[in-house]
Amino acid sequence: MVSLGIFSLISTLFLVLAVPTTAASSKLSANYYDQVCPKALPAIKRAVEAAVSKERRMGASLLRLHFHDCFVNGCDASILLDSTSAFDSEKKAGPNNNSARGFEVIDRIKLEVDKVCGRPVVSCADILAVAARDSVVVLGGPTWAVQLGRRDSTTASKTTANKDIPKPFMNISDLIKSFKKHGLDERDLVALSGGHTIGFAQCFAFRDRIYNETNIDPKFAQKRRVACPRTGGNSNLAALDPTNANFDAKYFSKLLKKRGLLHSDQELFNGGSTDSLVKAYSSDVKAFWADFAKSMVKMGNIKPLTGKQGQVRLNCRKAN
Ligand code: HEM
Ligand SMILES: *[C@@H]1O[C@H](CO)[C@@H](O)[C@H](O)[C@H]1NC(C)=O
Ligand SMILES: *[C@@H]1O[C@H](CO)[C@@H](O)[C@H](O)[C@H]1NC(C)=O
Ligand SMILES: *[C@@H]1O[C@H](CO)[C@@H](O)[C@H](O)[C@H]1NC(C)=O
């Protein structure tokens, strides 16, 4: 008893002394801004709510921005940087050009957060992570504690954005590979693809699927062809899910009926190893939500800059 007590006292002391020196500088934490600016998170929430009440789709666009940030050299707000003489903006990469949106909303949030904090202490990378969570909540989805303390990059890579953001034309094995490259497994792939329960896609992203593929409900294909002709109309929009302003499980139940809009969506339910999970989520929104929240935290942990790495940008569009 006594020796056990001493032992645990010693190991507790050891932990207390040993852990923070590394953890404080390299790990994210949910209470990162509690002392330095307790008004930061409520300010982000207010701004996201205002933007989404103006346009429901903005919630989807903000969620996607965080994803496209994290998949390119980690969650470091590199996607927000405009081009300079030193690098091309990730905004110009194939998956983002004329597609990624919400940059003005992020600018507004940054302005308001810096105002309530009285100084620029909240990074653009953290704003993206919190705005993504708040968007999901406003659209009726789950909530989670966002891990914070990311810092902002001083550079961006259009080349890496073209390489590392998955394409809608990918098959299941390439999708799994793409996620694995970022430390995310098949469960993360399926849960996070559930992000397509909100928002829109442009005709060019699903044309081949609705005209050429066979694992698609013919009535659904027919309906989608109306606003997506064989030629032209590249930027015409279709909802990714029939209830695309609500964070529900319909995305998954539609996959069971071969009504996935993107090729990559239907790949998740096409006779492979991820079928069973799609089925499970389709009838259990709580299971989907729980896994989505968990996977968002995991995605938000991809290679963050912390401690003295990077910087807290004054303007999300350019390095200080
Ligand atoms: C699994 C691989 C993925 C692929 C291939 C993919 C591809 C796409 C494509 C092609 C679009 C339509 C873009 C356009 O037409 O302009 C889109 C939209 C969207 N994606 Fe994904 N995506 C993937 C994963 C994710 C993940 C992990 C999330 C978030 C957790 C996400 C969230 C969204 C949202 C919310 C939209 C709608 C955006 C809006 O309406 O502005 N996607 N995605
Ligand atoms: C991005 O889209 C614009 C407008 O459609 C186009 O002119 C430009 O060439 C595209 N940029 C790249 C890098 O593909
Ligand atoms: C998936 O696509 C890649 C690249 O297009 C191809 O090399 C691979 O053989 C495909 N895998 C399957 C299982 O179809
Ligand atoms: C359908 O597939 C054919 C043959 O691969 C291709 O030439 C055509 O461009 C595709 N059509 C669409 C609308 O993508």
Side-chain angles (χ1 to χ4, degrees), residues 171-191:
N171 58 33
I172 188 68
S173 40
D174 281 355
L175 289 168
I176 290 171
K177 260 191 230 155
S178 165
F179 274 61
K180 198 169 181 184
K181 185 171 178 188
H182 299 101
L184 301 173
D185 59 25
E186 287 187 32
R187 206 177 185 85
D188 299 312
L189 166 64
V190 178

Side-chain angles (χ1 to χ4, degrees), residues 75-120:
C75 314
D76 59 359
S78 56
I79 191 174
L80 302 179
L81 291 173
D82 289 333
S83 296
T84 69
S85 54
F87 58 82
D88 287 332
S89 175
E90 290 172 20
K91 297 173 188 179
K92 300 287 177 217
N96 293 330
N97 196 25
N98 303 310
S99 176
R101 57 200 296 283
F103 298 108
E104 300 76 15
V105 173
I106 298 297
D107 289 340
R108 194 171 324 127
I109 295 175
K110 173 68 172 166
L111 218 66
E112 284 173 21
V113 167
D114 285 356
K115 197 166 73 187
V116 300
C117 294
R119 60 211 164 99

Side-chain angles (χ1 to χ4, degrees), residues 5 36 39 70 85 94 98 175 233 236 265:
V36 66
K39 291 179 177 167
C70 293
S85 54
N98 303 310
L175 289 168
N236 294 357
D265 292 329

Side-chain angles (χ1 to χ4, degrees), residues 207-213 229-231:
R207 177 181 283 125
D208 198 41
R209 170 151 174 76
I210 60 174
Y211 286 102
N212 273 345
E213 296 190 351
R230 278 182 189 276
T231 53

Side-chain angles (χ1 to χ4, degrees), residues 277-299:
L277 200 49
V278 169
K279 224 181 241 171
Y281 291 156
S282 74
S283 64
D284 188 350
V285 71
K286 290 287 161 63
F288 162 45
W289 282 359
D291 283 357
F292 184 82
K294 230 188 279 174
S295 294
M296 283 297 289
V297 172
K298 218 167 140 182
M299 184 175 85

